[in-house]
Amino acid sequence: MPMPAPTVRFACPLLLGLALALGACSSQPDKDEPPFISTQTYLKSAYTAPQHFKFASFDTRWAWGGQQQDGQRPGAPEQGKHEVDLSLLVPEGVKNVPVIIYLPGLGEGANGGELWRQTWADAGYAVLSIQATRDNASIYNSSNARDGAFRTIAANAFAEAPAANRVAEVNRILSEARRRGQAGEAGFAALDTSKVAVAGFDLGAQTAAALAGERQPGQPRPVDWKPLATILLSPYVPGGVDDRRYSQIDSPLLAVTGPMDEDPFSWIASAQQRFALFRGLSHDGYQLTLNDATHTVLSGTIAKVDKSDKKPRGGEDDPSGPNRRPGRPANPGFDARQAGSVAAVTIAFLDARLKQSATAQQWLDDKAQNWLAPVGGLQRK
């Protein structure tokens, strides 16, 4: 099935006040958003891409496999069927565009992480977001969600077999994207699939780390290609694992986390666990630590809070007490200055690794640490 015609063309890709602070747009921030004056001042010394692009957006769903089993009730999920939503952003007017595969968090759709995806597309990268329908917002309609059993939802999603399944899906989709590009299909023809980075948030970070080579010593890589760069937003680090698995990562890596990066599903016991991945890296890694960045900020997904729905709903796995919205874990507010730090550092990292920009590398090595001092820090291995 070919990609549909582009649904949106962005002339002003960065969002609201953060976009204003980065100098990409002239729009005024929404009156319900926090003030952005300090953000503007802070971002004056941020790394920015040397060129900005308009970009087209394509959205579709791919499905394959699956068969109805004997005695299976009508409408029940088919065994072995894969349904995956794709959202592709492609800069206009350029060819041979490096590709970032973006993998959203648990409970998000392929349109999640819009701030990061649009920021990277604005900087000249094609961004292919991939999310299986089983991992999107449909999880909030489950009986576990109604009971507040978010730990159970997370345990099922982060388990070994589903994780391997997601890696295989990404590998298949990349191969298909490459084939369609070679055939000249709109939305794929401009992609340079020999220059691929992966980025993931939350559940997507688990998949991205596996694609980057995370595995137990002695195990083979799960795919036969290696990302030229990997970005892990809120790295997945479960308790009780052998930290040597992180030394197997052989892709240049940027981990982004902080002490406020608490798991809304309560599956990761402490934000401090997430730092173990960077400690375990053997080489060519960065860790951006942001003092006040919440899990919501790191998602790059900005949504209006539904102020009318504040009914208490209990449950033994309730991560935030009686004021949690029914059917969903807690979702703290968005901080534009923290998000601006993520945008600047990730663009510099991508430019240094995928475009071999000496300017970006120099900014990372000589300027980033001092610039980040008011909000966090950057470590390198």
Side-chain angles (χ1 to χ4, degrees):
M1 175 180 174
M3 289 287 272
T7 55
V8 182
R9 289 181 183 272
F10 296 86
C12 182
L14 302 180
L15 301 182
L16 295 176
L18 181 58
L20 181 64
L22 285 172
C25 299
S26 58
S27 305
Q28 292 299 314
D30 189 286
K31 62 184 177 62
D32 292 332
E33 298 294 333
F36 291 95
I37 296 176
S38 61
T39 306
Q40 289 178 297
T41 301
Y42 172 65
L43 292 181
K44 284 181 179 178
S45 301
Y47 178 84
T48 58
Q51 186 176 357
H52 299 279
F53 296 84
K54 294 181 180 181
F55 51 89
S57 174
F58 303 81
D59 299 294
T60 191
R61 175 175 292 178
W62 289 356
W64 65 89
Q67 58 183 0
Q68 201 78 17
Q69 302 295 305
D70 292 340
Q72 190 172 2
R73 71 181 187 279
E78 297 178 15
Q79 296 295 315
K81 184 174 182 179
H82 299 261
E83 286 190 345
V84 181
D85 289 328
L86 307 179
S87 182
L88 175 63
L89 305 181
V90 184
E92 295 185 334
V94 288
K95 298 180 180 179
N96 300 319
V97 182
V99 182
I100 302 169
I101 295 174
Y102 182 73
L103 306 168
L106 181 59
E108 295 185 317
N111 60 351
E114 64 264 34
L115 178 55
W116 313 143
R117 294 187 297 114
Q118 292 178 20
T119 296
W120 300 332
D122 171 72
Y125 295 93
V127 187
L128 177 60
S129 181
I130 301 171
Q131 182 72 306
T133 56
R134 64 180 177 275
D135 295 324
N136 66 15
S138 64
I139 65 169
Y140 297 120
N141 297 324
S142 67
S143 59
N144 283 328
R146 290 191 293 271
D147 293 339
F150 294 108
R151 279 181 55 83
T152 302
I153 293 173
N156 293 337
F158 282 98
E160 185 174 334
N165 197 26
R166 289 192 299 275
V167 169
E169 287 173 338
V170 172
N171 195 42
R172 181 184 180 115
I173 289 168
L174 179 60
S175 296
E176 179 65 10
R178 183 179 294 113
R179 184 192 69 78
R180 294 186 182 214
Q182 292 170 347
E185 183 174 320
F188 293 103
L191 309 189
D192 183 353
T193 53
S194 69
K195 295 181 179 179
V196 176
V198 295
F201 164 70
D202 183 77
L203 186 72
Q206 182 194 36
T207 311
L211 292 166
E214 181 193 334
R215 62 200 186 279
Q216 290 293 350
Q219 292 184 341
R221 277 186 124 270
V223 293
D224 60 4
W225 54 275
K226 182 168 67 174
L228 297 182
T230 301
I231 298 171
L232 305 182
L233 299 150
S234 192
Y236 176 65
V237 180
V241 299
D242 185 350
D243 287 352
R244 292 182 301 166
R245 65 186 299 117
Y246 307 125
S247 68
Q248 305 302 303
I249 293 175
D250 53 8
S251 167
L253 186 139
L254 169 64
V256 185
T257 188
M260 300 292 289
D261 184 13
E262 297 288 350
D263 180 9
F265 290 89
S266 297
W267 181 238
I268 300 297
S270 168
Q272 296 299 321
Q273 284 180 219
R274 303 189 192 277
F275 295 99
L277 188 144
F278 176 75
R279 290 196 300 268
L281 293 179
S282 59
H283 67 288
D284 204 3
Y286 290 88
Q287 180 167 270
L288 172 59
T289 302
L290 295 170
N291 298 334
D292 299 316
T294 64
H295 203 65
T296 297
V297 168
L298 296 181
S299 75
T301 299
I302 303 177
K304 292 290 184 183
V305 176
D306 183 357
K307 299 177 182 178
S308 66
D309 191 356
K310 296 289 187 179
K311 298 176 184 177
R313 184 177 181 87
E316 64 179 287
D317 291 326
D318 186 344
S320 62
N323 291 324
R324 177 178 53 80
R325 291 177 60 199
R328 292 176 185 262
N331 190 19
F334 192 85
D335 185 321
R337 192 165 71 161
Q338 304 286 315
S341 302
V342 177
V345 174
T346 56
I347 294 171
F349 178 69
L350 291 166
D351 281 359
R353 292 297 180 270
L354 271 71
K355 298 181 179 179
Q356 290 78 50
S357 168
T359 301
Q361 189 63 59
Q362 183 181 23
W363 186 88
L364 285 171
D365 292 342
D366 300 336
K367 299 179 181 179
Q369 181 62 26
N370 288 338
W371 174 69
L372 287 162
V375 300
L378 185 68
Q379 298 170 268
R380 183 181 184 183
K381 282 194 173 183

